[in-house]
Amino acid sequence: MSGRAVELTGTVTLTRFLVRRERVRIALWIVGIPLLVLLTAAGVKGLYPTQHDLDVAARGSEGNAAAIAFNGPPLALDTMGGQVAFQTGTVGLVVVALMSVFTVGRQTRGEEEAGRAELVRALPTGRHASVAAALLVVGAMNVVVAAAVTLGLLALRLPAAGSVALGLSFLAVGLVFAAFTTVAAQVSENTRVVHGGTGAVLGLTFVLRAVGDVGDGRLSWLSPIGWVQKTRPYAGERWWPLLLAAGGVAGALALASALAARRDLGAGLVPPRPGPPRAAPRLGRPLGLALRLQRGSLIGWSCAVFLTGIAYGWVADDVQDLIGDNDTMRKVIAGFGETSITDAYLTRSLLTVALVGAGFAVQAALRPRGEESALRAEPVLAAPVSRLRWAGGHLTVAVLGSVVVLGAAGLGTGLSYALVSHDAGQVPRLVGAALVYAPALWTLAAVATALTGLAPRAVGAAWAVLGLCLVTGVLGDVLGLPDWLLDLSPFQHLPQLPAARAAFGAPAAVTAIAAALLAAGLAGFRHRDVG
């Protein structure tokens, strides 16, 4: 048997094991991403039912720098396929890249950090078997997502060539970032650093693509997202840019293999920086420790929604021209009673950004379960620290951090709208409008806490609840979802400012529900076995 084959011994067995162990997460990714893309595509078809509507939308977007930076190059926007690619392409590509980053990072560096990789290597397995198994699983996930997106777009009666090109672009970006994450996993021995570093690369590629698309397009060639968008789905497809992605995957995997041969199992090429000889006093308290563990996540989510808010606020002053005489779009945006189109647009924008920011609330509330699963909770609880104080520290970060994230969203929207409208009063107005959604984020955090305390094996359902809120909040009107389904989302019961009037009854009721769920979750965690 050759040396290369020996290094891959046990790959098939480990692949089956990974699929068995990660089946829930895998199912959520490969179902959720195509569903998000296809629901958005169906919504686009509902918004632009006639060629006239498509022409108006194309004229409004072609010269809009903010829309191009956020969505991608404006290609064939006077066609249904072009609008679908414009509205779904960049967001879908980013989500697929995140799927690859999180899955590969958890199955490679995460396994080494937890000490499980060393146990696996003690068995008759090759040096690269674990990494190869992780890449096979992630590659298969990307293939399934790409196939589902392609078939779904074909079912919506969109052109075949464009549907295939868009599906292949999802596959290409997913594989590129899976390879990039594999390289990062050889460099650092900390999973959070691997995720954060690769996430920073993803952010850089998004910025390069955005600046390039707004400009002359040259910088877009430095971005993997830009590469695949050069395939021009539904706009005269070009297939050769996919070769750039293939080259990027091959080069990154070759580099990862070379780096893996130069390090010890469990270690990274860059040794961790030694900490101070004495820990800060705040780290000896549950809240201080929780804040230290989650500060990177809080900063990242706050920056993301701040930038998204800037993009939304920048076009608010021109929303009347962007909508034109599209009756369907007017009905969707202005479905908030007697108010201006601009205020209705700002209301829907803040709702969308709040739904995105709710991801932080769920992630922060699930951190105790993550610490428990990684066996880091028991040493802390073995000290004179009660379960409630320890879990309460993370929940405090989730609750107060949600306010920070919403404040960042409102600040970004308010600053950009104030600049274009020359009205500084929009900043506090829109910050306040964003903070109204805090009880909804607390409710989602409370759902995650209740699952952690009462049904820890089902904590993944917290993300499914957030997905339901996203679908009902963003596409509920377009898809004509029934009222009972819309009412399941806490966001639907809050006053939607600035279009509606402020009220205190509904926020108080939603907050009370959140408090009850939190109490139930903490009570369950207090009485069940840890781990």
Side-chain angles (χ1 to χ4, degrees), residues 52-64 77-78 83 321-322 325:
H52 175 69
D53 294 329
L54 289 171
D55 293 337
V56 172
R59 289 194 298 269
S61 299
E62 285 177 350
N64 191 299
L77 295 186
D78 57 347
Q83 278 292 338
D321 297 330
L322 292 176
D325 53 0

PDB file of all heavy atoms in Angstrom, residues 52-64 77-78 83 321-322 325:
ATOM      1  N   HIS A  52     -43.220  45.130 -16.967  1.00  0.00           N
ATOM      2  CA  HIS A  52     -43.112  46.536 -16.586  1.00  0.00           C
ATOM      3  C   HIS A  52     -42.504  46.672 -15.190  1.00  0.00           C
ATOM      4  O   HIS A  52     -41.645  47.532 -14.963  1.00  0.00           O
ATOM      5  CB  HIS A  52     -44.493  47.190 -16.624  1.00  0.00           C
ATOM      6  CG  HIS A  52     -44.504  48.610 -16.139  1.00  0.00           C
ATOM      7  ND1 HIS A  52     -43.914  49.647 -16.832  1.00  0.00           N
ATOM      8  CD2 HIS A  52     -45.005  49.151 -14.985  1.00  0.00           C
ATOM      9  CE1 HIS A  52     -44.065  50.773 -16.156  1.00  0.00           C
ATOM     10  NE2 HIS A  52     -44.726  50.502 -15.033  1.00  0.00           N
ATOM     11  N   ASP A  53     -42.942  45.829 -14.266  1.00  0.00           N
ATOM     12  CA  ASP A  53     -42.378  45.863 -12.914  1.00  0.00           C
ATOM     13  C   ASP A  53     -40.886  45.544 -12.937  1.00  0.00           C
ATOM     14  O   ASP A  53     -40.089  46.159 -12.217  1.00  0.00           O
ATOM     15  CB  ASP A  53     -43.105  44.866 -12.011  1.00  0.00           C
ATOM     16  CG  ASP A  53     -44.554  45.250 -11.773  1.00  0.00           C
ATOM     17  OD1 ASP A  53     -44.840  46.457 -11.767  1.00  0.00           O
ATOM     18  OD2 ASP A  53     -45.387  44.347 -11.591  1.00  0.00           O
ATOM     19  N   LEU A  54     -40.484  44.584 -13.761  1.00  0.00           N
ATOM     20  CA  LEU A  54     -39.067  44.248 -13.877  1.00  0.00           C
ATOM     21  C   LEU A  54     -38.272  45.411 -14.449  1.00  0.00           C
ATOM     22  O   LEU A  54     -37.160  45.703 -13.992  1.00  0.00           O
ATOM     23  CB  LEU A  54     -38.893  43.007 -14.760  1.00  0.00           C
ATOM     24  CG  LEU A  54     -39.355  41.677 -14.171  1.00  0.00           C
ATOM     25  CD1 LEU A  54     -39.331  40.587 -15.235  1.00  0.00           C
ATOM     26  CD2 LEU A  54     -38.476  41.284 -12.992  1.00  0.00           C
ATOM     27  N   ASP A  55     -38.822  46.096 -15.426  1.00  0.00           N
ATOM     28  CA  ASP A  55     -38.119  47.233 -16.022  1.00  0.00           C
ATOM     29  C   ASP A  55     -37.931  48.357 -15.007  1.00  0.00           C
ATOM     30  O   ASP A  55     -36.858  48.972 -14.931  1.00  0.00           O
ATOM     31  CB  ASP A  55     -38.898  47.751 -17.233  1.00  0.00           C
ATOM     32  CG  ASP A  55     -38.921  46.748 -18.383  1.00  0.00           C
ATOM     33  OD1 ASP A  55     -38.022  45.884 -18.428  1.00  0.00           O
ATOM     34  OD2 ASP A  55     -39.847  46.828 -19.218  1.00  0.00           O
ATOM     35  N   VAL A  56     -38.975  48.629 -14.222  1.00  0.00           N
ATOM     36  CA  VAL A  56     -38.869  49.677 -13.200  1.00  0.00           C
ATOM     37  C   VAL A  56     -37.828  49.291 -12.155  1.00  0.00           C
ATOM     38  O   VAL A  56     -36.995  50.111 -11.736  1.00  0.00           O
ATOM     39  CB  VAL A  56     -40.245  49.912 -12.545  1.00  0.00           C
ATOM     40  CG1 VAL A  56     -40.108  50.847 -11.344  1.00  0.00           C
ATOM     41  CG2 VAL A  56     -41.228  50.494 -13.553  1.00  0.00           C
ATOM     42  N   ALA A  57     -37.839  48.037 -11.719  1.00  0.00           N
ATOM     43  CA  ALA A  57     -36.867  47.586 -10.729  1.00  0.00           C
ATOM     44  C   ALA A  57     -35.452  47.656 -11.275  1.00  0.00           C
ATOM     45  O   ALA A  57     -34.510  48.024 -10.554  1.00  0.00           O
ATOM     46  CB  ALA A  57     -37.194  46.155 -10.300  1.00  0.00           C
ATOM     47  N   ALA A  58     -35.274  47.330 -12.543  1.00  0.00           N
ATOM     48  CA  ALA A  58     -33.942  47.382 -13.145  1.00  0.00           C
ATOM     49  C   ALA A  58     -33.416  48.808 -13.188  1.00  0.00           C
ATOM     50  O   ALA A  58     -32.251  49.062 -12.860  1.00  0.00           O
ATOM     51  CB  ALA A  58     -33.987  46.783 -14.550  1.00  0.00           C
ATOM     52  N   ARG A  59     -34.270  49.751 -13.569  1.00  0.00           N
ATOM     53  CA  ARG A  59     -33.825  51.150 -13.615  1.00  0.00           C
ATOM     54  C   ARG A  59     -33.468  51.664 -12.226  1.00  0.00           C
ATOM     55  O   ARG A  59     -32.538  52.454 -12.066  1.00  0.00           O
ATOM     56  CB  ARG A  59     -34.923  52.015 -14.232  1.00  0.00           C
ATOM     57  CG  ARG A  59     -35.121  51.793 -15.718  1.00  0.00           C
ATOM     58  CD  ARG A  59     -35.958  52.914 -16.319  1.00  0.00           C
ATOM     59  NE  ARG A  59     -37.301  52.966 -15.740  1.00  0.00           N
ATOM     60  CZ  ARG A  59     -38.353  52.317 -16.228  1.00  0.00           C
ATOM     61  NH1 ARG A  59     -38.207  51.542 -17.299  1.00  0.00           N
ATOM     62  NH2 ARG A  59     -39.539  52.424 -15.667  1.00  0.00           N
ATOM     63  N   GLY A  60     -34.192  51.199 -11.202  1.00  0.00           N
ATOM     64  CA  GLY A  60     -33.913  51.680  -9.856  1.00  0.00           C
ATOM     65  C   GLY A  60     -32.661  51.087  -9.244  1.00  0.00           C
ATOM     66  O   GLY A  60     -32.061  51.693  -8.352  1.00  0.00           O
ATOM     67  N   SER A  61     -32.241  49.904  -9.689  1.00  0.00           N
ATOM     68  CA  SER A  61     -31.105  49.230  -9.063  1.00  0.00           C
ATOM     69  C   SER A  61     -29.790  49.424  -9.796  1.00  0.00           C
ATOM     70  O   SER A  61     -28.720  49.350  -9.186  1.00  0.00           O
ATOM     71  CB  SER A  61     -31.383  47.727  -8.956  1.00  0.00           C
ATOM     72  OG  SER A  61     -32.519  47.482  -8.159  1.00  0.00           O
ATOM     73  N   GLU A  62     -29.841  49.671 -11.103  1.00  0.00           N
ATOM     74  CA  GLU A  62     -28.611  49.684 -11.892  1.00  0.00           C
ATOM     75  C   GLU A  62     -27.635  50.764 -11.438  1.00  0.00           C
ATOM     76  O   GLU A  62     -26.430  50.570 -11.485  1.00  0.00           O
ATOM     77  CB  GLU A  62     -28.946  49.845 -13.375  1.00  0.00           C
ATOM     78  CG  GLU A  62     -29.498  48.556 -13.991  1.00  0.00           C
ATOM     79  CD  GLU A  62     -29.898  48.740 -15.429  1.00  0.00           C
ATOM     80  OE1 GLU A  62     -29.929  49.912 -15.885  1.00  0.00           O
ATOM     81  OE2 GLU A  62     -30.192  47.737 -16.104  1.00  0.00           O
ATOM     82  N   GLY A  63     -28.136  51.892 -10.995  1.00  0.00           N
ATOM     83  CA  GLY A  63     -27.236  52.958 -10.565  1.00  0.00           C
ATOM     84  C   GLY A  63     -27.153  53.111  -9.061  1.00  0.00           C
ATOM     85  O   GLY A  63     -26.588  54.102  -8.573  1.00  0.00           O
ATOM     86  N   ASN A  64     -27.699  52.163  -8.333  1.00  0.00           N
ATOM     87  CA  ASN A  64     -27.731  52.262  -6.875  1.00  0.00           C
ATOM     88  C   ASN A  64     -26.526  51.554  -6.290  1.00  0.00           C
ATOM     89  O   ASN A  64     -26.455  50.319  -6.264  1.00  0.00           O
ATOM     90  CB  ASN A  64     -29.043  51.639  -6.354  1.00  0.00           C
ATOM     91  CG  ASN A  64     -29.254  51.940  -4.897  1.00  0.00           C
ATOM     92  OD1 ASN A  64     -28.443  51.557  -4.067  1.00  0.00           O
ATOM     93  ND2 ASN A  64     -30.348  52.610  -4.584  1.00  0.00           N
ATOM     94  N   LEU A  77     -31.189  42.658 -15.054  1.00  0.00           N
ATOM     95  CA  LEU A  77     -32.203  42.894 -14.033  1.00  0.00           C
ATOM     96  C   LEU A  77     -33.600  43.083 -14.614  1.00  0.00           C
ATOM     97  O   LEU A  77     -34.569  43.111 -13.863  1.00  0.00           O
ATOM     98  CB  LEU A  77     -31.829  44.130 -13.202  1.00  0.00           C
ATOM     99  CG  LEU A  77     -30.541  44.007 -12.373  1.00  0.00           C
ATOM    100  CD1 LEU A  77     -30.359  45.232 -11.492  1.00  0.00           C
ATOM    101  CD2 LEU A  77     -30.566  42.748 -11.518  1.00  0.00           C
ATOM    102  N   ASP A  78     -33.698  43.224 -15.915  1.00  0.00           N
ATOM    103  CA  ASP A  78     -35.023  43.325 -16.535  1.00  0.00           C
ATOM    104  C   ASP A  78     -35.595  41.946 -16.873  1.00  0.00           C
ATOM    105  O   ASP A  78     -36.606  41.851 -17.577  1.00  0.00           O
ATOM    106  CB  ASP A  78     -34.966  44.184 -17.788  1.00  0.00           C
ATOM    107  CG  ASP A  78     -33.959  43.659 -18.806  1.00  0.00           C
ATOM    108  OD1 ASP A  78     -33.133  42.794 -18.443  1.00  0.00           O
ATOM    109  OD2 ASP A  78     -33.985  44.131 -19.962  1.00  0.00           O
ATOM    110  N   GLN A  83     -33.176  39.098 -11.760  1.00  0.00           N
ATOM    111  CA  GLN A  83     -33.610  39.617 -10.467  1.00  0.00           C
ATOM    112  C   GLN A  83     -33.431  38.569  -9.365  1.00  0.00           C
ATOM    113  O   GLN A  83     -33.019  38.895  -8.247  1.00  0.00           O
ATOM    114  CB  GLN A  83     -35.073  40.053 -10.533  1.00  0.00           C
ATOM    115  CG  GLN A  83     -35.294  41.438 -11.116  1.00  0.00           C
ATOM    116  CD  GLN A  83     -34.759  42.542 -10.223  1.00  0.00           C
ATOM    117  OE1 GLN A  83     -34.580  42.355  -9.026  1.00  0.00           O
ATOM    118  NE2 GLN A  83     -34.514  43.708 -10.817  1.00  0.00           N
ATOM    119  N   ASP A 321     -38.500  56.485  -5.609  1.00  0.00           N
ATOM    120  CA  ASP A 321     -38.124  56.284  -7.005  1.00  0.00           C
ATOM    121  C   ASP A 321     -37.805  54.824  -7.298  1.00  0.00           C
ATOM    122  O   ASP A 321     -38.062  54.323  -8.393  1.00  0.00           O
ATOM    123  CB  ASP A 321     -36.907  57.154  -7.351  1.00  0.00           C
ATOM    124  CG  ASP A 321     -37.219  58.644  -7.227  1.00  0.00           C
ATOM    125  OD1 ASP A 321     -38.387  59.020  -7.434  1.00  0.00           O
ATOM    126  OD2 ASP A 321     -36.283  59.416  -6.912  1.00  0.00           O
ATOM    127  N   LEU A 322     -37.220  54.141  -6.308  1.00  0.00           N
ATOM    128  CA  LEU A 322     -36.862  52.736  -6.513  1.00  0.00           C
ATOM    129  C   LEU A 322     -38.095  51.870  -6.703  1.00  0.00           C
ATOM    130  O   LEU A 322     -38.107  50.939  -7.501  1.00  0.00           O
ATOM    131  CB  LEU A 322     -36.043  52.221  -5.328  1.00  0.00           C
ATOM    132  CG  LEU A 322     -34.642  52.810  -5.167  1.00  0.00           C
ATOM    133  CD1 LEU A 322     -34.002  52.280  -3.892  1.00  0.00           C
ATOM    134  CD2 LEU A 322     -33.777  52.467  -6.362  1.00  0.00           C
ATOM    135  N   ASP A 325     -43.912  52.605  -9.758  1.00  0.00           N
ATOM    136  CA  ASP A 325     -45.351  52.313  -9.694  1.00  0.00           C
ATOM    137  C   ASP A 325     -45.615  50.817  -9.598  1.00  0.00           C
ATOM    138  O   ASP A 325     -46.633  50.314 -10.091  1.00  0.00           O
ATOM    139  CB  ASP A 325     -46.066  52.887 -10.921  1.00  0.00           C
ATOM    140  CG  ASP A 325     -45.430  52.431 -12.224  1.00  0.00           C
ATOM    141  OD1 ASP A 325     -44.432  51.673 -12.168  1.00  0.00           O
ATOM    142  OD2 ASP A 325     -45.940  52.825 -13.299  1.00  0.00           O
TER     143      ASP A 325
END
